[in-house]
């Protein structure tokens, strides 16, 4: 007889495993593949986004240099596309004037209005409808508050987008220096009077001798020499049709701005000089227009027309010039046209250069600049 002895240890001994399983390592999740960011194109603080207007929805990346000189900006968060890109980025808090930096913008359609605000040490301006816009991708930095800029107009005051009615009719506004002629648009050939009290406050004016009808009547009267800011006076305003362009100028202590086509005008004379137009087949441009859009045109010569009564824009180089320079101002520098008379300008796009040296000629001082991807020359 064989006796078999079984040793039992604990209640579960009969279920003992044959061995100890080793945990297999779990692979770390594969990080998502982020799209490669496009290289930042270097721009100046004067550069705007008008040439990208047909690319609505496109996201573009730019490098703003340090120690920037701020340009004009219209709007807040959504800016008119003729605004300074770098200054708009500083207004949004994405970069600073001192340090510059990389900014991304997204091209957007035109808006019915652009409210001006103060933020991050930058103040932007109000404007009405405009055909193109851009936004700063990502929006303003957290914690930065935009403070509305008061906007006077002929019918009241606009503060923070709230219209406070303080009177009726342009000519009868309690603040006559903000009065405009827009309510008279279409009554061409008619006239009305405007009272401008002494010691007024200058407001925006577009044009020279003939003004857009949303210009300040009293400020335009100072500009044209009808009255003075200190003494004021009563002026007779004549309603005229819209013009294809309005040239800005500095006169009598008032600096007016240039503008393109506008539907209504006024002047302080019953007749105005015939509109000077570009020769047939030649494109009319403003004095702020640059040559960046010709960068892809190879070496083909281009021809444009600069209207009379121009205001100088910024130019880098002394020929070739950076292609974001003012074409018309570069032509004055080169001795081809004058600010007073304007005229046809012929230019030829060229490749970018490693250095652009400034100079002073014909009353225009241009600036130095480092490497820039496109240039142009003024030709005969």
């Amino acid at each position: 007889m064989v006796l078999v002895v079984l040793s039992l240890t604990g209640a579960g001994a009969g279920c003992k495993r044959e061995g100890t399983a080793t945990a297999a390592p779990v692979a770390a999740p594969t990080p998502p593949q982020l799209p490669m960011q496009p290289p930042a194109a270097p721009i100046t603080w004067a550069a705007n986004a008008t040439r990208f207007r047909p690319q609505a929805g496109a996201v573009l990346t730019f490098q703003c240099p340090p120690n920037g000189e701020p340009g004009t900006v219209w709007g807040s968060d959504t800016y008119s596309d003729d605004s300074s890109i770098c200054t708009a980025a500083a207004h949004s808090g994405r970069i600073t004037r001192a340090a510059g930096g990389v900014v991304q913008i997204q091209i957007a359609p035109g808006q019915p209005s652009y409210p001006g605000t103060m933020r991050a040490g930058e103040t932007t301006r109000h404007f009405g409808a405009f055909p193109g816009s851009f936004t700063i991708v990502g929006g303003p930095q957290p914690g930065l508050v935009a403070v509305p800029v008061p906007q006077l107009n002929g019918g009241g005051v606009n503060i923070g987008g709230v219209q406070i009615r303080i009177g009726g009719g342009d000519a009868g506004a309690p603040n006559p220096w903000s009065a405009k002629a827009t309510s008279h648009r279409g009554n061409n050939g008619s006239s009305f009077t405007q009272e401008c009290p002494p010691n007024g406050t200058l407001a925006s004016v577009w044009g020279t001798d003939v003004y857009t009808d949303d210009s300040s009547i009293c400020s335009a009267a100072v500009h044209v020499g009808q009255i003075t800011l200190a003494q004021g006076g009563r002026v007779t305003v004549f309603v005229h049709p819209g013009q294809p362009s309005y040239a800005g100028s500095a006169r009598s202590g008032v600096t007016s701005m240039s503008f393109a086509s506008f539907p209504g005008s006024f002047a302080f004379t019953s007749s105005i000089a015939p509109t000077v137009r570009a020769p047939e087949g030649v494109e009319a441009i403003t004095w702020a227009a640059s040559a960046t859009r010709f960068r892809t045109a190879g070496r083909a010569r281009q021809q444009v027309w600069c209207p009379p009564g121009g205001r100088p824009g910024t130019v880098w180089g002394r020929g070739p010039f950076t292609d974001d320079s003012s074409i018309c101002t570069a032509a004055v520098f080169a001795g081809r046209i004058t600010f007073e008379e304007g005229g046809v300008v012929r230019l030829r796009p060229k490749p970018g250069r490693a250095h652009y040296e400034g100079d002073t000629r014909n009353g225009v001082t241009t600036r130095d600049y480092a490497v820039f991807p496109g240039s142009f020359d003024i030709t005969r």
Side-chain angles (χ1 to χ4, degrees), residues 22-82:
T22 302
V26 178
T30 303
Q33 295 298 310
L34 299 177
M36 183 177 294
Q37 294 298 321
I43 59 173
T44 69
W45 282 67
N48 62 40
T50 52
R51 66 185 182 275
F52 304 112
R53 188 176 297 168
Q55 303 178 33
V59 175
L60 308 169
T61 307
F62 300 103
Q63 175 76 47
C64 298
N67 303 314
E69 183 177 335
T72 307
V73 176
W74 292 269
S76 184
D77 299 329
T78 299
Y79 306 94
S80 63
D81 64 11
D82 61 342

Side-chain angles (χ1 to χ4, degrees), residues 181-327:
T182 49
S183 63
H184 300 274
R185 183 180 298 169
N187 298 324
N188 301 330
S190 66
S191 65
F192 62 95
T193 59
Q194 174 66 44
E195 195 72 41
C196 303
N199 302 312
T201 300
L202 293 174
S204 297
V205 176
W206 291 268
T208 297
D209 297 330
V210 181
Y211 305 93
T212 63
D213 63 11
D214 64 340
S215 298
S216 159
I217 294 172
C218 294
S219 302
V222 175
H223 182 262
V224 83
Q226 289 271 323
I227 60 173
T228 65
L229 187 65
Q231 296 181 343
R234 176 177 292 181
V235 295
T236 300
V237 183
F238 294 87
V239 181
H240 293 282
Q243 303 294 302
S245 65
Y246 299 81
S249 63
R251 184 195 286 170
S252 305
V254 177
T255 300
S256 66
M257 295 176 280
S258 299
F259 201 75
S261 176
F262 201 74
S265 312
F266 70 82
F268 299 98
T269 56
S270 58
S271 61
I272 58 177
T275 302
V276 180
R277 299 180 183 272
E280 187 174 353
V282 179
E283 178 189 2
I285 63 172
T286 68
W287 282 74
S290 72
T292 50
R293 62 195 174 95
F294 300 128
R295 189 178 293 175
T296 58
R299 297 291 300 273
R301 191 173 70 172
Q302 307 294 325
Q303 188 170 252
V304 295
W305 180 76
C306 302
R311 291 178 59 194
T314 307
V315 178
W316 292 267
R318 59 183 182 185
F321 311 94
T322 63
D323 65 9
D324 64 340
S325 298
S326 160
I327 295 173

Side-chain angles (χ1 to χ4, degrees), residues 1-5:
M1 179 176 179
V2 179
L3 179 63
V4 178
V5 180

